Amino acid sequence: YKQANAASFHTFDGLNYVTLVVPSGTILSQMKVTDNPSKSDTPADSEFPFGFFDFSIDGLVPGEAVTVTLILHNGSSINKYYKYGITPDNLTPHWYDFAYNGHTGAVINGNKITLHFVDGLRGDEDITVNGSIKEPGGPAKTGTTGISELAEKTGIKVYPNPVSDYITLK
């Protein structure tokens, strides 16, 4: 709690714990955990067990690259990092996979996510070279399969729903 470049907090649902570390000399501001920013078009087969994080990294030299570390306590099953917002090539808010492309993106290693940002590029929601990076995004567990609930009760129960490994029929 005495580190200006780190914050530890509970997720939106209060069930998990996360630590966020920004580089020394930068300022972590406007940090909050949020619910799904666009439930109506959430990427198919994706779950967001840690919710979403919204924060700014200030005090950068305009155009500067910065690396942020996100530690998901009890989060080793995460395999993607999604963002919802605008990108330089699409000014309409949309979902996009923030996989590392050599310049910006997320590198996932177990419960540790390294987020690579460049002020003004993909991943910086304000897409403006202004010495500040705005982040709305969240770690996802993908590849799960769900079964639509039946409208009429037939006496068959399938659980858990959605499922990632095994299902139970009753």
Side-chain angles (χ1 to χ4, degrees):
Y1 73 93
K2 292 183 179 182
Q3 295 173 294
N5 66 322
S8 293
F9 48 89
H10 285 283
T11 54
F12 185 74
D13 62 8
L15 299 176
N16 293 294
Y17 200 68
V18 177
T19 300
L20 176 68
V21 182
V22 298
S24 294
T26 63
I27 301 163
L28 176 61
S29 67
Q30 302 175 31
M31 174 65 216
K32 61 183 175 181
V33 292
T34 65
D35 196 6
N36 187 328
S38 184
K39 292 179 182 179
S40 65
D41 61 348
T42 300
D45 87 338
S46 297
E47 295 177 38
F48 295 90
F50 289 83
F52 297 86
F53 312 113
D54 197 337
F55 58 88
S56 292
I57 305 165
D58 302 317
L60 303 172
V61 173
E64 182 177 357
V66 66
T67 301
V68 173
T69 303
L70 190 61
I71 302 165
L72 309 172
H73 305 279
N74 301 321
S76 60
S77 63
I78 298 303
N79 57 7
K80 284 200 181 209
Y81 194 89
Y82 277 104
K83 293 180 61 69
Y84 183 81
I86 61 174
T87 53
D89 62 340
N90 185 348
L91 299 180
T92 301
H94 62 283
W95 288 101
Y96 61 100
D97 182 352
F98 194 52
Y100 186 63
N101 66 7
H103 298 289
T104 62
V107 176
I108 300 169
N109 186 7
N111 71 330
K112 182 178 169 184
I113 300 173
T114 304
L115 299 170
H116 299 270
F117 296 107
V118 176
D119 182 29
L121 296 185
R122 178 184 83 115
D124 180 5
E125 188 183 27
D126 67 12
I127 59 171
T128 305
V129 179
N130 59 1
S132 179
I133 293 174
K134 179 75 173 128
E135 160 64 358
K141 179 179 179 181
T142 63
T144 59
T145 306
I147 299 173
S148 298
E149 291 186 30
L150 299 173
E152 57 184 275
K153 303 294 181 189
T154 61
I156 297 174
K157 292 183 181 179
V158 179
Y159 58 95
N161 185 9
V163 66
S164 60
D165 293 319
Y166 299 98
I167 63 170
T168 302
L169 298 172
K170 184 175 182 182

